[in-house]
PDB file of all heavy atoms in Angstrom:
ATOM      1  N   LEU A  99     -15.027   5.754  24.890  1.00 97.00           N
ATOM      2  CA  LEU A  99     -16.446   6.076  24.762  1.00 97.00           C
ATOM      3  C   LEU A  99     -16.638   7.540  24.341  1.00 97.00           C
ATOM      4  O   LEU A  99     -15.948   8.427  24.812  1.00 97.00           O
ATOM      5  CB  LEU A  99     -17.136   5.822  26.102  1.00 97.00           C
ATOM      6  CG  LEU A  99     -18.641   6.034  26.155  1.00 97.00           C
ATOM      7  CD1 LEU A  99     -19.340   4.988  25.310  1.00 97.00           C
ATOM      8  CD2 LEU A  99     -19.123   5.960  27.593  1.00 97.00           C
ATOM      9  N   TYR A 100     -17.605   7.782  23.455  1.00 98.00           N
ATOM     10  CA  TYR A 100     -17.923   9.144  23.012  1.00 98.00           C
ATOM     11  C   TYR A 100     -19.391   9.417  23.323  1.00 98.00           C
ATOM     12  O   TYR A 100     -20.297   8.921  22.647  1.00 98.00           O
ATOM     13  CB  TYR A 100     -17.646   9.276  21.519  1.00 98.00           C
ATOM     14  CG  TYR A 100     -17.952  10.632  20.918  1.00 98.00           C
ATOM     15  CD1 TYR A 100     -17.728  11.814  21.624  1.00 98.00           C
ATOM     16  CD2 TYR A 100     -18.449  10.732  19.623  1.00 98.00           C
ATOM     17  CE1 TYR A 100     -18.011  13.045  21.069  1.00 98.00           C
ATOM     18  CE2 TYR A 100     -18.722  11.961  19.044  1.00 98.00           C
ATOM     19  CZ  TYR A 100     -18.501  13.119  19.778  1.00 98.00           C
ATOM     20  OH  TYR A 100     -18.772  14.347  19.213  1.00 98.00           O
ATOM     21  N   ASN A 101     -19.638  10.197  24.351  1.00 98.00           N
ATOM     22  CA  ASN A 101     -20.981  10.605  24.741  1.00 98.00           C
ATOM     23  C   ASN A 101     -20.869  11.883  25.548  1.00 98.00           C
ATOM     24  O   ASN A 101     -20.583  11.856  26.742  1.00 98.00           O
ATOM     25  CB  ASN A 101     -21.680   9.511  25.561  1.00 98.00           C
ATOM     26  CG  ASN A 101     -23.074   9.935  26.010  1.00 98.00           C
ATOM     27  OD1 ASN A 101     -23.615  10.939  25.547  1.00 98.00           O
ATOM     28  ND2 ASN A 101     -23.660   9.169  26.920  1.00 98.00           N
ATOM     29  N   ASN A 102     -21.075  12.996  24.903  1.00 97.00           N
ATOM     30  CA  ASN A 102     -20.943  14.287  25.583  1.00 97.00           C
ATOM     31  C   ASN A 102     -22.014  14.505  26.653  1.00 97.00           C
ATOM     32  O   ASN A 102     -21.854  15.352  27.519  1.00 97.00           O
ATOM     33  CB  ASN A 102     -21.008  15.419  24.557  1.00 97.00           C
ATOM     34  CG  ASN A 102     -19.760  15.477  23.693  1.00 97.00           C
ATOM     35  OD1 ASN A 102     -18.702  14.995  24.088  1.00 97.00           O
ATOM     36  ND2 ASN A 102     -19.878  16.041  22.503  1.00 97.00           N
ATOM     37  N   ALA A 103     -23.093  13.710  26.598  1.00 97.00           N
ATOM     38  CA  ALA A 103     -24.132  13.837  27.614  1.00 97.00           C
ATOM     39  C   ALA A 103     -23.674  13.269  28.948  1.00 97.00           C
ATOM     40  O   ALA A 103     -24.138  13.706  30.009  1.00 97.00           O
ATOM     41  CB  ALA A 103     -25.407  13.126  27.156  1.00 97.00           C
ATOM     42  N   GLY A 104     -22.767  12.293  28.922  1.00 95.00           N
ATOM     43  CA  GLY A 104     -22.243  11.715  30.147  1.00 95.00           C
ATOM     44  C   GLY A 104     -23.306  11.104  31.042  1.00 95.00           C
ATOM     45  O   GLY A 104     -23.182  11.137  32.274  1.00 95.00           O
ATOM     46  N   ASN A 105     -24.351  10.535  30.431  1.00 97.00           N
ATOM     47  CA  ASN A 105     -25.475  10.033  31.223  1.00 97.00           C
ATOM     48  C   ASN A 105     -25.456   8.518  31.430  1.00 97.00           C
ATOM     49  O   ASN A 105     -26.398   7.949  31.971  1.00 97.00           O
ATOM     50  CB  ASN A 105     -26.797  10.432  30.562  1.00 97.00           C
ATOM     51  CG  ASN A 105     -26.851  10.013  29.087  1.00 97.00           C
ATOM     52  OD1 ASN A 105     -26.057   9.194  28.634  1.00 97.00           O
ATOM     53  ND2 ASN A 105     -27.787  10.603  28.356  1.00 97.00           N
ATOM     54  N   GLY A 106     -24.417   7.857  30.984  1.00 96.00           N
ATOM     55  CA  GLY A 106     -24.316   6.411  31.192  1.00 96.00           C
ATOM     56  C   GLY A 106     -25.123   5.574  30.227  1.00 96.00           C
ATOM     57  O   GLY A 106     -25.227   4.356  30.398  1.00 96.00           O
ATOM     58  N   ASN A 107     -25.714   6.213  29.203  1.00 98.00           N
ATOM     59  CA  ASN A 107     -26.544   5.470  28.249  1.00 98.00           C
ATOM     60  C   ASN A 107     -25.736   4.770  27.162  1.00 98.00           C
ATOM     61  O   ASN A 107     -26.315   4.063  26.332  1.00 98.00           O
ATOM     62  CB  ASN A 107     -27.563   6.401  27.589  1.00 98.00           C
ATOM     63  CG  ASN A 107     -28.670   6.802  28.543  1.00 98.00           C
ATOM     64  OD1 ASN A 107     -28.873   6.161  29.564  1.00 98.00           O
ATOM     65  ND2 ASN A 107     -29.387   7.863  28.214  1.00 98.00           N
ATOM     66  N   VAL A 108     -24.421   4.992  27.146  1.00 98.00           N
ATOM     67  CA  VAL A 108     -23.569   4.350  26.153  1.00 98.00           C
ATOM     68  C   VAL A 108     -22.401   3.687  26.889  1.00 98.00           C
ATOM     69  O   VAL A 108     -21.792   4.290  27.777  1.00 98.00           O
ATOM     70  CB  VAL A 108     -23.025   5.357  25.114  1.00 98.00           C
ATOM     71  CG1 VAL A 108     -22.276   4.627  24.009  1.00 98.00           C
ATOM     72  CG2 VAL A 108     -24.154   6.187  24.526  1.00 98.00           C
ATOM     73  N   THR A 109     -22.094   2.440  26.535  1.00 98.00           N
ATOM     74  CA  THR A 109     -20.947   1.734  27.114  1.00 98.00           C
ATOM     75  C   THR A 109     -20.100   1.153  25.996  1.00 98.00           C
ATOM     76  O   THR A 109     -20.607   0.841  24.904  1.00 98.00           O
ATOM     77  CB  THR A 109     -21.396   0.602  28.054  1.00 98.00           C
ATOM     78  OG1 THR A 109     -22.213  -0.331  27.314  1.00 98.00           O
ATOM     79  CG2 THR A 109     -22.179   1.152  29.233  1.00 98.00           C
ATOM     80  N   ILE A 128     -20.226  -1.710  21.395  1.00 98.00           N
ATOM     81  CA  ILE A 128     -20.792  -0.456  21.879  1.00 98.00           C
ATOM     82  C   ILE A 128     -22.297  -0.646  22.041  1.00 98.00           C
ATOM     83  O   ILE A 128     -22.985  -1.039  21.096  1.00 98.00           O
ATOM     84  CB  ILE A 128     -20.482   0.692  20.910  1.00 98.00           C
ATOM     85  CG1 ILE A 128     -18.955   0.790  20.691  1.00 98.00           C
ATOM     86  CG2 ILE A 128     -21.027   2.008  21.443  1.00 98.00           C
ATOM     87  CD1 ILE A 128     -18.554   1.755  19.602  1.00 98.00           C
ATOM     88  N   THR A 129     -22.785  -0.369  23.242  1.00 98.00           N
ATOM     89  CA  THR A 129     -24.190  -0.583  23.569  1.00 98.00           C
ATOM     90  C   THR A 129     -24.842   0.746  23.945  1.00 98.00           C
ATOM     91  O   THR A 129     -24.301   1.506  24.752  1.00 98.00           O
ATOM     92  CB  THR A 129     -24.324  -1.573  24.740  1.00 98.00           C
ATOM     93  OG1 THR A 129     -23.677  -2.805  24.395  1.00 98.00           O
ATOM     94  CG2 THR A 129     -25.790  -1.855  25.042  1.00 98.00           C
ATOM     95  N   HIS A 130     -26.013   1.015  23.357  1.00 98.00           N
ATOM     96  CA  HIS A 130     -26.771   2.244  23.617  1.00 98.00           C
ATOM     97  C   HIS A 130     -28.114   1.860  24.246  1.00 98.00           C
ATOM     98  O   HIS A 130     -28.820   0.987  23.725  1.00 98.00           O
ATOM     99  CB  HIS A 130     -27.030   3.014  22.325  1.00 98.00           C
ATOM    100  CG  HIS A 130     -25.801   3.283  21.514  1.00 98.00           C
ATOM    101  ND1 HIS A 130     -25.257   4.544  21.396  1.00 98.00           N
ATOM    102  CD2 HIS A 130     -25.002   2.457  20.775  1.00 98.00           C
ATOM    103  CE1 HIS A 130     -24.183   4.478  20.615  1.00 98.00           C
ATOM    104  NE2 HIS A 130     -24.021   3.224  20.226  1.00 98.00           N
ATOM    105  N   THR A 131     -28.470   2.519  25.325  1.00 98.00           N
ATOM    106  CA  THR A 131     -29.730   2.221  26.007  1.00 98.00           C
ATOM    107  C   THR A 131     -30.611   3.465  26.183  1.00 98.00           C
ATOM    108  O   THR A 131     -31.578   3.433  26.941  1.00 98.00           O
ATOM    109  CB  THR A 131     -29.460   1.606  27.391  1.00 98.00           C
ATOM    110  OG1 THR A 131     -28.640   2.506  28.154  1.00 98.00           O
ATOM    111  CG2 THR A 131     -28.767   0.263  27.264  1.00 98.00           C
ATOM    112  N   GLY A 132     -30.276   4.545  25.487  1.00 97.00           N
ATOM    113  CA  GLY A 132     -31.066   5.761  25.613  1.00 97.00           C
ATOM    114  C   GLY A 132     -30.431   6.908  24.856  1.00 97.00           C
ATOM    115  O   GLY A 132     -29.474   6.721  24.087  1.00 97.00           O
ATOM    116  N   ALA A 133     -30.951   8.102  25.066  1.00 96.00           N
ATOM    117  CA  ALA A 133     -30.460   9.289  24.369  1.00 96.00           C
ATOM    118  C   ALA A 133     -29.035   9.618  24.814  1.00 96.00           C
ATOM    119  O   ALA A 133     -28.637   9.360  25.949  1.00 96.00           O
ATOM    120  CB  ALA A 133     -31.375  10.468  24.639  1.00 96.00           C
ATOM    121  N   ALA A 134     -28.260  10.173  23.901  1.00 97.00           N
ATOM    122  CA  ALA A 134     -26.877  10.577  24.182  1.00 97.00           C
ATOM    123  C   ALA A 134     -26.588  11.814  23.343  1.00 97.00           C
ATOM    124  O   ALA A 134     -27.502  12.417  22.771  1.00 97.00           O
ATOM    125  CB  ALA A 134     -25.913   9.439  23.883  1.00 97.00           C
ATOM    126  N   ALA A 135     -25.329  12.192  23.277  1.00 97.00           N
ATOM    127  CA  ALA A 135     -24.965  13.359  22.468  1.00 97.00           C
ATOM    128  C   ALA A 135     -23.504  13.242  22.033  1.00 97.00           C
ATOM    129  O   ALA A 135     -22.662  12.831  22.824  1.00 97.00           O
ATOM    130  CB  ALA A 135     -25.171  14.646  23.272  1.00 97.00           C
ATOM    131  N   PRO A 136     -23.225  13.608  20.777  1.00 97.00           N
ATOM    132  CA  PRO A 136     -24.196  13.940  19.729  1.00 97.00           C
ATOM    133  C   PRO A 136     -24.885  12.678  19.205  1.00 97.00           C
ATOM    134  O   PRO A 136     -24.335  11.581  19.331  1.00 97.00           O
ATOM    135  CB  PRO A 136     -23.337  14.590  18.649  1.00 97.00           C
ATOM    136  CG  PRO A 136     -21.998  13.954  18.821  1.00 97.00           C
ATOM    137  CD  PRO A 136     -21.828  13.713  20.297  1.00 97.00           C
ATOM    138  N   GLY A 137     -26.045  12.842  18.617  1.00 97.00           N
ATOM    139  CA  GLY A 137     -26.792  11.699  18.119  1.00 97.00           C
ATOM    140  C   GLY A 137     -27.050  10.696  19.231  1.00 97.00           C
ATOM    141  O   GLY A 137     -27.561  11.031  20.295  1.00 97.00           O
ATOM    142  N   LEU A 138     -26.640   9.459  18.975  1.00 98.00           N
ATOM    143  CA  LEU A 138     -26.766   8.393  19.974  1.00 98.00           C
ATOM    144  C   LEU A 138     -25.428   8.090  20.640  1.00 98.00           C
ATOM    145  O   LEU A 138     -25.335   7.156  21.430  1.00 98.00           O
ATOM    146  CB  LEU A 138     -27.307   7.124  19.297  1.00 98.00           C
ATOM    147  CG  LEU A 138     -28.659   7.259  18.594  1.00 98.00           C
ATOM    148  CD1 LEU A 138     -29.020   5.957  17.907  1.00 98.00           C
ATOM    149  CD2 LEU A 138     -29.736   7.672  19.583  1.00 98.00           C
ATOM    150  N   GLY A 139     -24.379   8.893  20.332  1.00 97.00           N
ATOM    151  CA  GLY A 139     -23.059   8.630  20.876  1.00 97.00           C
ATOM    152  C   GLY A 139     -22.339   7.551  20.079  1.00 97.00           C
ATOM    153  O   GLY A 139     -22.865   6.992  19.122  1.00 97.00           O
ATOM    154  N   GLY A 140     -21.098   7.263  20.476  1.00 98.00           N
ATOM    155  CA  GLY A 140     -20.300   6.272  19.761  1.00 98.00           C
ATOM    156  C   GLY A 140     -18.944   6.102  20.410  1.00 98.00           C
ATOM    157  O   GLY A 140     -18.846   5.910  21.617  1.00 98.00           O
ATOM    158  N   TYR A 165     -29.545   2.577  10.986  1.00 98.00           N
ATOM    159  CA  TYR A 165     -28.697   3.531  11.705  1.00 98.00           C
ATOM    160  C   TYR A 165     -27.603   4.050  10.775  1.00 98.00           C
ATOM    161  O   TYR A 165     -27.106   3.328   9.906  1.00 98.00           O
ATOM    162  CB  TYR A 165     -28.096   2.879  12.949  1.00 98.00           C
ATOM    163  CG  TYR A 165     -29.137   2.600  14.006  1.00 98.00           C
ATOM    164  CD1 TYR A 165     -29.797   1.374  14.041  1.00 98.00           C
ATOM    165  CD2 TYR A 165     -29.499   3.571  14.926  1.00 98.00           C
ATOM    166  CE1 TYR A 165     -30.780   1.115  14.989  1.00 98.00           C
ATOM    167  CE2 TYR A 165     -30.473   3.320  15.885  1.00 98.00           C
ATOM    168  CZ  TYR A 165     -31.114   2.090  15.902  1.00 98.00           C
ATOM    169  OH  TYR A 165     -32.086   1.851  16.842  1.00 98.00           O
ATOM    170  N   PHE A 214     -20.100   8.679  15.658  1.00 98.00           N
ATOM    171  CA  PHE A 214     -21.331   8.464  16.415  1.00 98.00           C
ATOM    172  C   PHE A 214     -22.449   8.036  15.470  1.00 98.00           C
ATOM    173  O   PHE A 214     -22.351   8.186  14.248  1.00 98.00           O
ATOM    174  CB  PHE A 214     -21.727   9.717  17.201  1.00 98.00           C
ATOM    175  CG  PHE A 214     -22.083  10.913  16.353  1.00 98.00           C
ATOM    176  CD1 PHE A 214     -23.413  11.192  16.039  1.00 98.00           C
ATOM    177  CD2 PHE A 214     -21.089  11.769  15.877  1.00 98.00           C
ATOM    178  CE1 PHE A 214     -23.740  12.298  15.268  1.00 98.00           C
ATOM    179  CE2 PHE A 214     -21.415  12.880  15.104  1.00 98.00           C
ATOM    180  CZ  PHE A 214     -22.751  13.146  14.798  1.00 98.00           C
ATOM    181  N   LEU A 215     -23.510   7.477  16.042  1.00 98.00           N
ATOM    182  CA  LEU A 215     -24.636   6.973  15.270  1.00 98.00           C
ATOM    183  C   LEU A 215     -25.849   7.889  15.415  1.00 98.00           C
ATOM    184  O   LEU A 215     -26.019   8.573  16.428  1.00 98.00           O
ATOM    185  CB  LEU A 215     -25.026   5.565  15.728  1.00 98.00           C
ATOM    186  CG  LEU A 215     -24.073   4.417  15.437  1.00 98.00           C
ATOM    187  CD1 LEU A 215     -24.697   3.100  15.859  1.00 98.00           C
ATOM    188  CD2 LEU A 215     -23.686   4.374  13.970  1.00 98.00           C
ATOM    189  N   THR A 216     -26.706   7.851  14.407  1.00 98.00           N
ATOM    190  CA  THR A 216     -28.017   8.487  14.481  1.00 98.00           C
ATOM    191  C   THR A 216     -29.053   7.472  14.021  1.00 98.00           C
ATOM    192  O   THR A 216     -28.762   6.568  13.239  1.00 98.00           O
ATOM    193  CB  THR A 216     -28.093   9.747  13.604  1.00 98.00           C
ATOM    194  OG1 THR A 216     -27.684   9.421  12.260  1.00 98.00           O
ATOM    195  CG2 THR A 216     -27.195  10.840  14.138  1.00 98.00           C
ATOM    196  N   GLY A 217     -30.255   7.641  14.529  1.00 97.00           N
ATOM    197  CA  GLY A 217     -31.350   6.721  14.217  1.00 97.00           C
ATOM    198  C   GLY A 217     -32.342   6.721  15.356  1.00 97.00           C
ATOM    199  O   GLY A 217     -32.315   7.597  16.234  1.00 97.00           O
ATOM    200  N   ASP A 218     -33.233   5.743  15.368  1.00 97.00           N
ATOM    201  CA  ASP A 218     -34.228   5.649  16.429  1.00 97.00           C
ATOM    202  C   ASP A 218     -33.544   5.496  17.783  1.00 97.00           C
ATOM    203  O   ASP A 218     -32.577   4.740  17.923  1.00 97.00           O
ATOM    204  CB  ASP A 218     -35.159   4.460  16.186  1.00 97.00           C
ATOM    205  CG  ASP A 218     -36.034   4.661  14.954  1.00 97.00           C
ATOM    206  OD1 ASP A 218     -36.220   5.827  14.554  1.00 97.00           O
ATOM    207  OD2 ASP A 218     -36.506   3.655  14.399  1.00 97.00           O
ATOM    208  N   THR A 219     -34.064   6.194  18.791  1.00 97.00           N
ATOM    209  CA  THR A 219     -33.472   6.145  20.126  1.00 97.00           C
ATOM    210  C   THR A 219     -33.745   4.796  20.786  1.00 97.00           C
ATOM    211  O   THR A 219     -34.913   4.390  20.914  1.00 97.00           O
ATOM    212  CB  THR A 219     -34.044   7.265  21.006  1.00 97.00           C
ATOM    213  OG1 THR A 219     -33.798   8.523  20.375  1.00 97.00           O
ATOM    214  CG2 THR A 219     -33.388   7.245  22.373  1.00 97.00           C
ATOM    215  N   PRO A 220     -32.697   4.084  21.198  1.00 97.00           N
ATOM    216  CA  PRO A 220     -32.889   2.783  21.841  1.00 97.00           C
ATOM    217  C   PRO A 220     -33.338   2.958  23.286  1.00 97.00           C
ATOM    218  O   PRO A 220     -33.348   4.070  23.824  1.00 97.00           O
ATOM    219  CB  PRO A 220     -31.506   2.150  21.758  1.00 97.00           C
ATOM    220  CG  PRO A 220     -30.572   3.316  21.748  1.00 97.00           C
ATOM    221  CD  PRO A 220     -31.280   4.423  21.029  1.00 97.00           C
ATOM    222  N   THR A 221     -33.697   1.869  23.919  1.00 97.00           N
ATOM    223  CA  THR A 221     -34.090   1.876  25.319  1.00 97.00           C
ATOM    224  C   THR A 221     -33.363   0.753  26.047  1.00 97.00           C
ATOM    225  O   THR A 221     -32.682  -0.066  25.431  1.00 97.00           O
ATOM    226  CB  THR A 221     -35.610   1.679  25.463  1.00 97.00           C
ATOM    227  OG1 THR A 221     -35.964   0.379  24.958  1.00 97.00           O
ATOM    228  CG2 THR A 221     -36.375   2.743  24.698  1.00 97.00           C
ATOM    229  N   VAL A 222     -33.564   0.698  27.351  1.00 97.00           N
ATOM    230  CA  VAL A 222     -32.943  -0.363  28.152  1.00 97.00           C
ATOM    231  C   VAL A 222     -33.484  -1.724  27.733  1.00 97.00           C
ATOM    232  O   VAL A 222     -32.749  -2.715  27.659  1.00 97.00           O
ATOM    233  CB  VAL A 222     -33.196  -0.123  29.654  1.00 97.00           C
ATOM    234  CG1 VAL A 222     -32.674  -1.278  30.486  1.00 97.00           C
ATOM    235  CG2 VAL A 222     -32.540   1.191  30.094  1.00 97.00           C
ATOM    236  N   SER A 223     -34.766  -1.796  27.421  1.00 97.00           N
ATOM    237  CA  SER A 223     -35.377  -3.063  27.025  1.00 97.00           C
ATOM    238  C   SER A 223     -35.072  -3.430  25.578  1.00 97.00           C
ATOM    239  O   SER A 223     -35.051  -4.606  25.215  1.00 97.00           O
ATOM    240  CB  SER A 223     -36.891  -3.004  27.239  1.00 97.00           C
ATOM    241  OG  SER A 223     -37.461  -1.945  26.486  1.00 97.00           O
ATOM    242  N   THR A 224     -34.832  -2.413  24.736  1.00 97.00           N
ATOM    243  CA  THR A 224     -34.473  -2.665  23.328  1.00 97.00           C
ATOM    244  C   THR A 224     -33.204  -1.884  22.999  1.00 97.00           C
ATOM    245  O   THR A 224     -33.237  -0.880  22.289  1.00 97.00           O
ATOM    246  CB  THR A 224     -35.618  -2.247  22.392  1.00 97.00           C
ATOM    247  OG1 THR A 224     -35.911  -0.855  22.615  1.00 97.00           O
ATOM    248  CG2 THR A 224     -36.850  -3.092  22.627  1.00 97.00           C
ATOM    249  N   PRO A 225     -32.056  -2.343  23.506  1.00 98.00           N
ATOM    250  CA  PRO A 225     -30.807  -1.612  23.303  1.00 98.00           C
ATOM    251  C   PRO A 225     -30.297  -1.725  21.862  1.00 98.00           C
ATOM    252  O   PRO A 225     -30.674  -2.644  21.124  1.00 98.00           O
ATOM    253  CB  PRO A 225     -29.849  -2.301  24.274  1.00 98.00           C
ATOM    254  CG  PRO A 225     -30.375  -3.697  24.385  1.00 98.00           C
ATOM    255  CD  PRO A 225     -31.861  -3.573  24.294  1.00 98.00           C
ATOM    256  N   LEU A 226     -29.471  -0.783  21.495  1.00 98.00           N
ATOM    257  CA  LEU A 226     -28.754  -0.818  20.218  1.00 98.00           C
ATOM    258  C   LEU A 226     -27.338  -1.312  20.490  1.00 98.00           C
ATOM    259  O   LEU A 226     -26.632  -0.744  21.320  1.00 98.00           O
ATOM    260  CB  LEU A 226     -28.725   0.578  19.587  1.00 98.00           C
ATOM    261  CG  LEU A 226     -27.698   0.796  18.464  1.00 98.00           C
ATOM    262  CD1 LEU A 226     -28.030  -0.077  17.262  1.00 98.00           C
ATOM    263  CD2 LEU A 226     -27.636   2.266  18.081  1.00 98.00           C
ATOM    264  N   VAL A 227     -26.928  -2.368  19.795  1.00 98.00           N
ATOM    265  CA  VAL A 227     -25.595  -2.938  19.984  1.00 98.00           C
ATOM    266  C   VAL A 227     -24.911  -3.022  18.630  1.00 98.00           C
ATOM    267  O   VAL A 227     -25.485  -3.550  17.662  1.00 98.00           O
ATOM    268  CB  VAL A 227     -25.661  -4.334  20.630  1.00 98.00           C
ATOM    269  CG1 VAL A 227     -24.254  -4.904  20.806  1.00 98.00           C
ATOM    270  CG2 VAL A 227     -26.374  -4.274  21.975  1.00 98.00           C
ATOM    271  N   TRP A 228     -23.713  -2.485  18.534  1.00 98.00           N
ATOM    272  CA  TRP A 228     -22.913  -2.632  17.320  1.00 98.00           C
ATOM    273  C   TRP A 228     -21.470  -2.911  17.692  1.00 98.00           C
ATOM    274  O   TRP A 228     -21.059  -2.699  18.835  1.00 98.00           O
ATOM    275  CB  TRP A 228     -23.037  -1.415  16.406  1.00 98.00           C
ATOM    276  CG  TRP A 228     -22.678  -0.083  16.995  1.00 98.00           C
ATOM    277  CD1 TRP A 228     -23.320   0.577  17.993  1.00 98.00           C
ATOM    278  CD2 TRP A 228     -21.589   0.760  16.594  1.00 98.00           C
ATOM    279  NE1 TRP A 228     -22.709   1.789  18.252  1.00 98.00           N
ATOM    280  CE2 TRP A 228     -21.640   1.928  17.403  1.00 98.00           C
ATOM    281  CE3 TRP A 228     -20.592   0.662  15.635  1.00 98.00           C
ATOM    282  CZ2 TRP A 228     -20.720   2.978  17.279  1.00 98.00           C
ATOM    283  CZ3 TRP A 228     -19.683   1.710  15.500  1.00 98.00           C
ATOM    284  CH2 TRP A 228     -19.753   2.839  16.317  1.00 98.00           C
TER     285      TRP A 228
END
Side-chain angles (χ1 to χ4, degrees):
L99 183 67
Y100 179 36
N101 178 12
N102 289 337
N105 53 16
N107 288 342
V108 186
T109 59
I128 304 172
T129 303
H130 307 251
T131 57
L138 302 177
Y165 291 91
F214 65 96
L215 291 185
T216 53
D218 293 338
T219 302
T221 64
V222 175
S223 59
T224 58
L226 164 65
V227 180
W228 57 294

